[in-house]
Amino acid sequence: MAEVTMAQALNEALRFSLSDDDRVLILGEDVGKLGGVFRITDKLQAEFGEQRVFDTPLAESAIAGVSLGLTQAGWRPVAEMQFEAFSYPALDQVISHIAKYRFRSAGTTEVPMVIRIPCGGGIGAAEHHSESPETYYAHTSGLKVVIPSTALDAFNLLVRAIRDPDPIIFFEPKSRYWSKESGDLVPDGLPIGAARVAREGQHCTLVAWGAMVARCLEVATAAAEDGVELEVLDLRSLVPLDLDALAASVQKTGRAVVVHEAPLTVGFGAEVVARIVEDSFDYLEAPVLRVTGYDMPYPPAKVEEHYLPSVDRIFHAVDRVLSH
Amino acid sequence: MAEVTMAQALNEALRFSLSDDDRVLILGEDVGKLGGVFRITDKLQAEFGEQRVFDTPLAESAIAGVSLGLTQAGWRPVAEMQFEAFSYPALDQVISHIAKYRFRSAGTTEVPMVIRIPCGGGIGAAEHHSESPETYYAHTSGLKVVIPSTALDAFNLLVRAIRDPDPIIFFEPKSRYWSKESGDLVPDGLPIGAARVAREGQHCTLVAWGAMVARCLEVATAAAEDGVELEVLDLRSLVPLDLDALAASVQKTGRAVVVHEAPLTVGFGAEVVARIVEDSFDYLEAPVLRVTGYDMPYPPAKVEEHYLPSVDRIFHAVDRVLSH
Amino acid sequence: MPSKRDDTFRILAPDGTVDEKAKEGLDLKEEDLRQMFRFMVLARKVDLECTALQRQGELAVYPPLIGQEAAQIGSAYALGDEDFIFPSYREMGAAIVRGVDLVDYMHFHRGTWHGGVRDPVGARFAMISVPVGSQMLHAVGWAMGTKFDGKEACAITYFGDGATSQGDFHEACNFAGVFKAPVVFFCQNNHWAISVPIEKQTAAPIWKKAEAYGFPGVRVDGNDVLAVYKVTREATERARAEGIPTLIEAVTYRLGPHSTADDATRYRTKEEVDRWHELDPLERYRQFLEAEGVADQSFVLEVEAEAEDVAATVRAGIQGAPPPPVEDLFKWVYSDVPPHLARQRDEALGLLEEGEDG
Amino acid sequence: MPSKRDDTFRILAPDGTVDEKAKEGLDLKEEDLRQMFRFMVLARKVDLECTALQRQGELAVYPPLIGQEAAQIGSAYALGDEDFIFPSYREMGAAIVRGVDLVDYMHFHRGTWHGGVRDPVGARFAMISVPVGSQMLHAVGWAMGTKFDGKEACAITYFGDGATSQGDFHEACNFAGVFKAPVVFFCQNNHWAISVPIEKQTAAPIWKKAEAYGFPGVRVDGNDVLAVYKVTREATERARAEGIPTLIEAVTYRLGPHSTADDATRYRTKEEVDRWHELDPLERYRQFLEAEGVADQSFVLEVEAEAEDVAATVRAGIQGAPPPPVEDLFKWVYSDVPPHLARQRDEALGLLEEGEDG
Ligand SMILES: Cc1ncc(C[n+]2csc(CCOP(=O)(O)OP(=O)(O)O)c2C)c(N)n1
Ligand SMILES: Cc1ncc(C[n+]2csc(CCOP(=O)(O)OP(=O)(O)O)c2C)c(N)n1
Ligand SMILES: [Mg+2]
Ligand SMILES: [Mg+2]
């Protein structure tokens, strides 16, 4: 039972997949010798050669479009976008082709590819290096959108994503890259599409994904001291969304707060609220609230603590919900 | 009191703006001699010359990025994206620069530009010509996102958008281009950010924008025959969103259904539901439901009638809400 | 008119004269020469049929290829069976050479189905691609992957003069140059991007843009099917054998409107169109075949009759063709139908039933 | 080493010899020659200071320009007061020439402010742009708009070798060619895009890419400040007078890591870096100035002392500099604060107060 960071777990998941299936390829900017700016592809080129793991020119639209082409030649590309904000030049290829390709072909061809995107803030990074663009992808039908919150789950989810026959946007919460967890790296965790109850509780449900799961667990631990039992639901997969798990938890607690880093307006939290209202309205004892980033561009690193959902802000929302 | 179509009203709004302010420019693909594929810029190049109204090479990222550059030289560009799906190559410039430019400069520079985007389905068009991408833009802080539902309001909103100091995404619901309205074309309507009660009613609120407003009015007229009075709220502006108007209507009716063409998951309807829950939870007598396009790529034209919210589907939702 | 500058490769001049030196090494048997003509006539006939079908409301919209037959047939005929075509939306001629089911294909333009090609990988013909310039990257990716497997096949991607302005064109060419991808970039410069003339699209000759990527660029008379065949053949050989991409600029002309929804009189003169009608690629090639004694009147008539039959079959197949059952749409989004989508499917099907009942 | 091919323009050879023919028409007075040296030393000193500030935690991350002083100073010094600079993130040297407030500028790298430039239009220096290749389009748009006004000014945009792979680079150059925009595309080919060497970035020489857009391309020794000045000067004149854009490839080298967060030893050899240290642009220029009698030891010492002072001022100004008040962030999003944002502002400020109280 070794201790691994999420970064190591992701690196192992790629290593595992490269040896497990010789059709798997890794491409992106600086993924070769450098091993990626976060070292997620560390040593993989040395181990698997320059054809299985290769650097590309600096062009994200090409990285996405070429990956689609590779799938049509029978490969399973795992493309890395260096940072979330640099995935935007690829949005046209993702929205107009990758997400639609299977549909357009009446199911006669598949696009088994993964686009890895480090996301989120909280690491004091430069501009364009701390955003949370999950809404753009989750709203794009035809994509599956997953995001792990722990090291072991990162391993499991990435291995499953690479095996999946559909195009997957795989978000990696940067601020958790160095978070440790001990356990064995074996792809036997929950399947894509299943949420995980990270902590049980009966008074209120905190819904989160990625880095905000840990933040919610902090809140839950603190709340427990006041005898308030918060349930923390880690969505793991935004698309498909685990509607049953969401309904089950909220129907048990009757209250919910959604937490995410992305701006409020049409953040994925809005979808969570709408689903809760549709499926569990009669169980609700209070409005479902959202604690999110503000509706502004991601601010300079030195003020991000005031932008990201803090333990305080989450507490405030929980208080309002409980005292409703 | 002449009768005008929305297409004519938009053409007049551009004409008005070009003569009202000699810093206004119009650029895009085929906006010159051809007058645009929908003729929204018809005759403008002949009237104002090839420097005020000009065709560009076929490159949307450039159309957006060059427009930003033009604002820094003191111009007020009005760029046309030929169809909504062809605005995606410009998303990187829109998200990473246009939306953030003022913020990044600490408010020391402005980006007074408008990007016109024909949107929506229902016109039997080819693939990539019927989508509703408002979520991508509404989630991008720094942009204002407006969409008219009638000819006169289209004139007023476009004139105001062109005068606005901030970057504006101006959606034009294609299926309403040929809808007629009589009245005078004068920019004296509601400001950007104000919603409009398109029809009063006390039993349930239908929230919509663009082409779906007319669809909801159809439903309301039919419902009235059964003595059910539906209020129809035309949002007009998704960002900024008129929270007061939304709360006022729902707190009066106690019930709401949101209708849009875009796919369900993280469609703007989710934001509307979340806002209603946050502001008017205690007034709600039933869950707020959404009637939207399905979570799939926009389907072939010959099946779009089964994809777009139909009078039937909206009725179903209203029934569920009223009988709750 | 196609540039008369000697940087334009041509075998068959408009006036029918043959440049024997240019023709050297042309590896076409008489049967091939006839077959290419057959394909050109077929493309012309089916194209006209489709314009008619659109007028009758059988197709939603259709982008005619009339005038570009030599460019499409000559290039597609030069391909090997394993080579993969990545087209835009105007390559029905190339689809014919590839043996793509034309009724399937027309479903795209009818508005009953988005792809237009069943099992694209098997067909070696990618689905119709409307976002201008976007398909070139797929061709490069496929070509890279095919080379990784050590297979001797190349990709060819079709696009227009306007598409060269897109960032994706640049990124695709740059990747191809860096990875030595076996791909042929085939640009049909038909002088117009809807209403925008080539002079307003770019300030440099298209074929010269290859300089920016370290591989050869060639300009060819796109209305000379023999010349197009030859330069494409050579490009495919360079691609497969040495991993050298080629940018081919086939200078041709869009004799019809951009699409059946377009009114070209708004932006170009009748004189210009007439000049190009005189350069009709079919006519030029027919005269050559008859002059060379490879074909005679009766052959031409026979070919036209065959084409009529095929056009009639396409018409019969697409007329009144229904869209897919709504249920299928839900099956095509993902390899499985996830719960949220299953719910939506059930709602949709429920409504359909009611519709039938009531 | 900078390519020795004669397609590389150079005045001052690494060994100090001067190419008099190339030097012809160089319009620099002695004071200019000294001023450029002053700027180069200043850029070097402030750059080293910033790397130190980052190590001490005063800056979040910093991208050193060491080695690229001649390319940045020589080009920026060639500009007129009305010309507008559209930089990437590594152009602190150009910012110095432009007189941009360096403390403002360093707020970007400290993580206290995103723009780095107050009133960019007034400063004639656009905000720092991190998305690679994206700023070139802004330069072209500004240049087009300036030409529309009949003003005699041009834009210059800085970018790296890696940026030439981006679609935006292509679209910007193509627009510039079509609209005859007065713009200079200044590429600092420093041989690396983080860990990706130029050979893996593109298969053609960068300066040749201009061929694709119908305007001139020039390769210059980017470590020869005189040559850089001259080609840029000529490019700006062509741009303003005739609306002819130019693509300049300044061959130089990134002596430091990509940024203070980068470990360059993972992908390049010490030998390579050492070779380029021998080609240090400051050293080469200093020797020239002394040989020509334009500067002497004491001048050099004086200049270095000045630079130390400026560096110290920058340090003093940025050390411990606070981020903007949270309230301001809400004011910067739109020209007004819309209701939904006002709510969020009030929540944020409320929490801050509590924070202070409790
Ligand atoms: C990205 C994108 N922008 C705009 C359009 C709308 N559009 C369709 S075809 C076309 C012109 C294409 O011209 P060209 O590349 O020369 O091809 P041609 O139609 O002449 O064959 C345009 C602007 C599109 N389909 N995709
Ligand atoms: C669109 C985009 N993709 C990726 C990145 C991450 N990134 C920052 S700098 C850089 C390398 C740029 O190389 P080059 O253009 O040569 O400029 P240099 O850093 O050498 O000055 C990369 C990949 C980015 N900033 N923007
Ligand atoms: Mg064309
Ligand atoms: Mg570089």
Side-chain angles (χ1 to χ4, degrees):
Chain A
M1 287 263 300
E3 229 194 15
V4 292
T5 64
M6 182 184 283
Q8 291 165 336
L10 290 165
N11 177 257
E12 285 303 328
L14 292 173
R15 181 171 287 103
F16 175 94
S17 302
L18 282 162
S19 30
D20 181 56
D21 178 351
D22 61 14
R23 301 307 290 177
V24 172
L25 297 176
I26 290 176
L27 69 158
E29 295 156 8
D30 308 292
V31 298
K33 265 191 184 162
L34 185 62
V37 294
F38 288 108
R39 306 293 183 264
I40 306 303
T41 58
D42 193 27
K43 300 199 176 56
L44 297 177
Q45 186 178 62
E47 290 170 44
F48 295 92
E50 299 211 351
Q51 190 221 286
R52 301 286 306 283
V53 181
F54 58 93
D55 288 328
T56 67
L58 213 175
E60 291 76 12
S61 185
I63 291 170
V66 160
S67 294
L68 169 53
L70 284 163
T71 64
Q72 300 308 290
W75 296 93
R76 303 180 85 86
V78 180
E80 171 174 306
M81 295 287 158
Q82 201 161 75
F83 285 90
E84 69 288 333
F86 309 137
S87 71
Y88 305 153
L91 278 170
D92 180 53
Q93 281 290 333
V94 170
I95 298 170
S96 288
H97 283 292
I98 293 167
K100 294 178 162 79
Y101 220 66
R102 186 179 196 285
F103 182 84
R104 307 182 67 234
S105 78
T108 62
T109 194
E110 282 181 344
V111 182
M113 62 181 277
V114 174
I115 299 180
R116 293 179 39 243
I117 307 180
C119 69
I123 60 168
E127 189 185 15
H128 305 288
H129 294 69
S130 301
E131 305 181 5
S132 296
E134 61 263 26
T135 280
Y136 300 133
Y137 295 96
H139 184 59
T140 304
S141 308
L143 301 175
K144 292 177 180 172
V145 181
V146 307
I147 175 168
S149 69
T150 73
L152 296 186
D153 204 27
F155 177 89
N156 171 62
L157 265 179
L158 184 51
V159 168
R160 284 175 179 273
I162 294 171
R163 285 178 180 165
D164 199 274
D166 297 316
I168 292 192
I169 303 300
F170 191 90
F171 282 111
E172 301 174 359
K174 288 180 217 97
S175 62
R176 304 301 295 164
Y177 269 151
W178 305 280
S179 66
K180 290 207 173 77
E181 194 176 13
S182 40
D184 301 323
L185 295 177
V186 277
D188 66 353
L190 292 166
I192 289 170
R196 179 179 66 98
V197 175
R199 177 187 175 112
E200 297 219 350
Q202 61 276 11
H203 298 128
C204 176
T205 303
L206 298 182
V207 183
W209 51 92
M212 288 300 106
V213 172
R215 185 68 46 91
C216 288
L217 286 170
E218 268 184 79
V219 174
T221 312
E225 289 165 14
D226 316 351
V228 177
E229 292 302 335
L230 301 175
E231 176 145 308
V232 177
L233 188 66
D234 173 5
L235 291 183
R236 299 178 70 249
S237 153
L238 306 184
V239 181
L241 182 59
D242 191 338
L243 301 170
D244 295 343
L246 189 60
S249 179
V250 174
Q251 290 178 15
K252 178 178 73 177
T253 63
R255 295 178 159 85
V257 171
V258 195
V259 181
H260 60 70
E261 297 184 33
L264 179 72
T265 298
V266 221
F268 196 79
E271 182 62 29
V272 172
V273 175
R275 289 295 190 174
I276 290 174
V277 168
E278 281 155 20
D279 295 356
S280 310
F281 181 75
D282 295 335
Y283 298 81
L284 285 179
E285 289 160 23
V288 181
L289 299 183
R290 296 177 288 173
V291 180
T292 73
Y294 299 118
D295 284 323
M296 62 174 59
Y298 196 89
K302 288 282 191 297
V303 268
E304 66 184 341
E305 66 182 303
H306 298 302
Y307 175 88
L308 295 171
S310 61
V311 169
D312 269 12
R313 282 175 66 195
I314 300 170
F315 255 119
H316 267 267
V318 170
D319 286 343
R320 279 183 54 201
V321 166
L322 289 175
S323 60
H324 188 85
Chain B
M1 287 258 304
E3 230 196 11
V4 292
T5 63
M6 182 182 285
Q8 290 164 338
L10 290 166
N11 177 258
E12 285 303 328
L14 293 173
R15 182 172 286 103
F16 175 94
S17 302
L18 282 162
S19 28
D20 181 55
D21 179 350
D22 62 13
R23 302 306 290 177
V24 172
L25 297 176
I26 290 176
L27 68 158
E29 295 155 9
D30 307 292
V31 298
K33 266 191 183 160
L34 185 62
V37 294
F38 288 107
R39 306 292 184 264
I40 306 303
T41 57
D42 194 25
K43 301 198 176 53
L44 298 177
Q45 186 178 61
E47 289 169 44
F48 296 91
E50 299 211 351
Q51 190 221 283
R52 301 286 307 282
V53 181
F54 56 93
D55 288 328
T56 67
L58 213 176
E60 291 75 14
S61 184
I63 290 170
V66 161
S67 293
L68 169 54
L70 284 164
T71 63
Q72 300 309 290
W75 296 93
R76 302 179 86 84
V78 181
E80 171 175 305
M81 295 286 158
Q82 200 160 75
F83 286 89
E84 70 287 333
F86 310 138
S87 71
Y88 305 152
L91 279 171
D92 180 52
Q93 281 290 331
V94 170
I95 298 170
S96 289
H97 283 293
I98 293 168
K100 296 178 161 78
Y101 219 66
R102 189 182 193 284
F103 182 84
R104 305 182 67 233
S105 77
T108 62
T109 194
E110 281 182 345
V111 182
M113 61 180 279
V114 175
I115 299 180
R116 294 179 39 245
I117 308 180
C119 70
I123 59 167
E127 188 185 16
H128 305 289
H129 293 68
S130 302
E131 305 181 5
S132 297
E134 60 265 27
T135 280
Y136 300 133
Y137 295 97
H139 184 58
T140 304
S141 307
L143 302 175
K144 293 177 179 172
V145 181
V146 306
I147 176 168
S149 70
T150 74
L152 297 184
D153 204 28
F155 177 88
N156 170 62
L157 267 179
L158 184 50
V159 169
R160 285 176 178 275
I162 294 171
R163 286 178 179 164
D164 200 274
D166 296 316
I168 294 193
I169 303 299
F170 191 90
F171 281 113
E172 302 173 359
K174 288 180 219 98
S175 62
R176 304 300 297 164
Y177 269 150
W178 304 281
S179 66
K180 291 206 172 72
E181 194 175 12
S182 36
D184 300 322
L185 297 177
V186 277
D188 66 351
L190 293 167
I192 287 170
R196 179 179 66 95
V197 175
R199 178 188 175 112
E200 297 216 352
Q202 60 274 15
H203 299 127
C204 176
T205 303
L206 298 182
V207 183
W209 50 92
M212 288 298 106
V213 173
R215 185 69 44 93
C216 288
L217 286 170
E218 268 183 79
V219 173
T221 311
E225 288 164 15
D226 316 354
V228 176
E229 292 302 334
L230 300 175
E231 177 145 306
V232 178
L233 189 68
D234 174 3
L235 291 183
R236 297 179 70 249
S237 155
L238 305 184
V239 182
L241 183 58
D242 191 338
L243 300 170
D244 295 343
L246 190 59
S249 179
V250 174
Q251 290 178 14
K252 177 176 73 175
T253 63
R255 296 179 158 84
V257 171
V258 195
V259 181
H260 61 71
E261 298 185 32
L264 178 72
T265 297
V266 221
F268 195 78
E271 181 63 28
V272 172
V273 175
R275 290 294 190 175
I276 291 175
V277 168
E278 282 154 20
D279 295 356
S280 311
F281 181 75
D282 295 334
Y283 298 81
L284 284 179
E285 288 161 25
V288 181
L289 298 183
R290 297 176 289 172
V291 181
T292 73
Y294 299 117
D295 285 323
M296 60 174 60
Y298 196 89
K302 288 280 190 301
V303 269
E304 67 184 340
E305 64 182 300
H306 300 300
Y307 175 86
L308 294 171
S310 61
V311 168
D312 269 13
R313 282 175 66 194
I314 299 170
F315 255 120
H316 267 267
V318 170
D319 285 346
R320 278 183 54 200
V321 167
L322 289 174
S323 61
H324 188 86
Chain C
M1 321 240 312
S3 144
K4 283 247 172 310
R5 288 160 46 198
D6 41 278
D7 55 35
T8 300
F9 181 75
R10 176 184 293 139
I11 291 175
L12 199 54
D15 64 12
T17 53
V18 176
D19 180 334
E20 291 303 336
K21 207 183 146 311
K23 191 155 165 288
E24 247 171 46
L26 187 70
D27 61 349
L28 289 168
K29 300 190 201 59
E30 289 204 349
E31 184 40 41
D32 294 312
L33 294 172
R34 279 189 293 269
Q35 186 56 38
M36 289 206 298
F37 182 71
R38 203 174 265 118
F39 281 139
M40 286 168 75
V41 172
L42 187 49
R44 173 71 56 95
K45 278 269 185 311
V46 174
D47 189 62
L48 294 172
E49 185 69 43
C50 289
T51 294
L53 282 165
Q54 193 281 333
R55 290 223 189 73
Q56 294 150 25
E58 290 296 333
L59 298 184
V61 61
Y62 177 76
L65 65 82
I66 184 164
Q68 303 179 210
E69 294 87 353
Q72 293 189 22
I73 306 303
S75 53
Y77 200 79
L79 303 177
D81 295 345
E82 287 307 302
D83 298 338
F84 205 132
I85 294 175
F86 290 82
S88 76
Y89 42 81
R90 204 183 290 285
E91 278 71 57
M92 189 265 286
I96 283 178
V97 178
R98 252 296 172 248
V100 170
D101 181 309
L102 290 178
V103 174
D104 276 355
Y105 188 88
M106 290 312 156
H107 269 281
F108 180 97
H109 298 300
R110 178 172 170 78
T112 36
W113 176 32
H114 283 332
V117 184
R118 211 166 294 283
D119 179 18
V121 173
R124 283 288 186 270
F125 192 94
M127 294 178 282
I128 290 171
S129 178
V130 165
V132 169
S134 60
Q135 69 278 8
M136 301 179 215
L137 288 168
H138 313 156
V140 172
W142 183 87
M144 286 168 63
T146 299
K147 189 179 175 188
F148 291 164
D149 279 323
K151 293 202 190 119
E152 280 252 325
C154 70
I156 183 169
T157 179
Y158 289 87
F159 53 97
D161 41 294
T164 62
S165 296
Q166 285 285 354
D168 278 0
F169 161 80
H170 173 71
E171 297 189 11
C173 290
N174 190 52
F175 265 57
V178 168
F179 291 104
K180 301 199 171 313
V183 57
V184 178
F185 295 96
F186 194 90
C187 179
Q188 292 173 82
N189 174 0
N190 62 9
H191 288 71
W192 292 93
I194 303 187
S195 73
V196 180
I198 181 68
E199 312 81 58
K200 287 190 176 177
Q201 198 62 244
T202 182
I206 289 171
W207 67 276
K208 277 210 169 169
K209 296 176 188 287
E211 282 273 342
Y213 311 107
F215 54 71
V218 188
R219 173 183 271 164
V220 61
D221 180 343
N223 285 11
D224 172 356
V225 69
L226 298 180
V228 170
Y229 170 86
K230 192 153 183 272
V231 298
T232 310
R233 186 76 175 184
E234 288 162 3
T236 58
E237 281 158 5
R238 267 195 302 274
R240 290 190 219 98
E242 304 162 78
I244 298 175
T246 303
L247 170 60
I248 297 174
E249 175 189 4
V251 180
T252 178
Y253 193 80
R254 196 194 75 209
L255 289 174
H258 169 71
S259 82
T260 49
D262 178 39
D263 171 11
T265 64
R266 279 185 160 246
Y267 53 82
R268 65 183 189 183
T269 65
K270 186 172 175 310
E271 293 60 40
E272 177 180 315
V273 181
D274 291 345
R275 268 206 314 285
W276 280 93
H277 267 292
E278 285 159 22
L279 298 169
D280 188 318
L282 261 75
E283 201 37 35
R284 196 192 301 188
Y285 191 46
R286 185 187 57 73
Q287 285 170 12
F288 165 81
L289 293 177
E290 293 189 9
E292 301 273 310
V294 175
D296 55 16
Q297 266 254 297
S298 70
F299 170 76
V300 172
L301 293 173
E302 168 199 318
V303 164
E304 280 172 348
E306 282 171 30
E308 288 292 358
D309 294 349
V310 176
T313 326
V314 172
R315 163 180 290 270
I318 200 68
Q319 247 174 346
V326 171
E327 180 165 13
D328 287 5
L329 299 176
F330 289 91
K331 289 184 193 146
W332 297 344
V333 186
Y334 298 99
S335 51
D336 55 351
V337 181
H340 70 285
L341 207 51
R343 271 198 201 181
Q344 297 175 33
R345 177 198 58 209
D346 298 346
E347 183 204 342
L349 298 182
L351 284 160
L352 282 174
E353 276 171 17
E354 283 181 28
E356 283 148 19
D357 307 350
Chain D
M1 317 250 304
S3 146
K4 280 248 173 310
R5 286 162 46 198
D6 42 275
D7 54 35
T8 300
F9 181 76
R10 173 183 294 139
I11 292 176
L12 200 52
D15 63 14
T17 54
V18 175
D19 181 333
E20 292 303 337
K21 209 183 146 309
K23 189 152 163 291
E24 247 170 49
L26 187 69
D27 60 350
L28 289 168
K29 301 192 199 55
E30 289 205 348
E31 184 42 41
D32 293 313
L33 293 173
R34 280 189 291 268
Q35 188 55 37
M36 290 208 295
F37 182 70
R38 205 175 263 117
F39 282 138
M40 286 169 75
V41 171
L42 187 48
R44 173 72 54 98
K45 278 273 185 312
V46 174
D47 189 62
L48 293 173
E49 185 68 44
C50 290
T51 294
L53 283 166
Q54 193 280 336
R55 288 223 189 74
Q56 294 151 25
E58 291 296 333
L59 298 185
V61 61
Y62 178 76
L65 64 81
I66 183 166
Q68 303 180 209
E69 294 87 354
Q72 293 189 22
I73 306 304
S75 54
Y77 199 78
L79 303 178
D81 293 346
E82 288 306 303
D83 297 338
F84 205 131
I85 294 175
F86 290 82
S88 76
Y89 42 82
R90 204 184 292 282
E91 278 73 56
M92 190 266 284
I96 284 178
V97 178
R98 253 292 173 251
V100 170
D101 181 307
L102 289 178
V103 174
D104 276 358
Y105 188 90
M106 290 312 157
H107 270 280
F108 181 97
H109 298 299
R110 177 170 171 79
T112 36
W113 177 31
H114 282 333
V117 185
R118 210 164 296 283
D119 180 17
V121 173
R124 284 288 185 267
F125 192 95
M127 294 178 282
I128 290 169
S129 179
V130 165
V132 169
S134 59
Q135 70 277 9
M136 299 181 218
L137 288 167
H138 312 155
V140 173
W142 183 87
M144 286 169 63
T146 298
K147 189 180 175 188
F148 290 165
D149 279 324
K151 294 202 189 121
E152 280 252 326
C154 71
I156 183 169
T157 179
Y158 290 86
F159 53 97
D161 42 291
T164 63
S165 295
Q166 285 286 353
D168 278 0
F169 161 80
H170 174 71
E171 297 188 10
C173 291
N174 189 53
F175 265 58
V178 169
F179 291 102
K180 300 199 172 312
V183 57
V184 178
F185 295 97
F186 194 90
C187 179
Q188 292 173 81
N189 174 0
N190 62 10
H191 287 74
W192 292 93
I194 305 187
S195 72
V196 180
I198 181 67
E199 313 81 59
K200 286 189 176 178
Q201 199 61 247
T202 183
I206 288 169
W207 67 278
K208 276 213 170 166
K209 295 177 188 286
E211 282 273 342
Y213 311 108
F215 54 72
V218 187
R219 172 182 273 165
V220 61
D221 179 343
N223 285 10
D224 172 357
V225 70
L226 298 178
V228 170
Y229 171 86
K230 192 155 186 269
V231 297
T232 309
R233 186 76 176 182
E234 287 161 3
T236 58
E237 282 157 4
R238 267 195 303 273
R240 291 191 219 98
E242 305 162 77
I244 297 175
T246 303
L247 170 60
I248 297 173
E249 175 188 4
V251 180
T252 178
Y253 193 81
R254 195 195 77 210
L255 288 174
H258 169 72
S259 82
T260 47
D262 179 39
D263 171 10
T265 63
R266 280 183 160 246
Y267 53 82
R268 63 182 190 183
T269 64
K270 186 172 175 313
E271 292 62 37
E272 177 182 316
V273 182
D274 291 344
R275 267 206 317 283
W276 280 94
H277 266 292
E278 287 158 22
L279 297 168
D280 189 317
L282 262 74
E283 201 38 35
R284 195 191 303 187
Y285 190 47
R286 186 186 58 73
Q287 286 169 8
F288 164 81
L289 291 177
E290 294 188 9
E292 300 275 309
V294 175
D296 57 15
Q297 266 253 297
S298 69
F299 171 77
V300 172
L301 292 173
E302 167 199 320
V303 163
E304 279 172 349
E306 281 171 32
E308 288 292 358
D309 293 347
V310 175
T313 325
V314 172
R315 164 181 289 271
I318 200 67
Q319 245 176 348
V326 171
E327 181 166 13
D328 287 5
L329 298 175
F330 289 91
K331 290 185 192 145
W332 297 344
V333 187
Y334 298 100
S335 51
D336 55 350
V337 181
H340 71 285
L341 207 50
R343 273 197 200 183
Q344 296 175 34
R345 176 198 58 206
D346 298 346
E347 183 203 341
L349 298 184
L351 285 161
L352 283 174
E353 276 171 18
E354 284 182 29
E356 283 148 19
D357 307 348

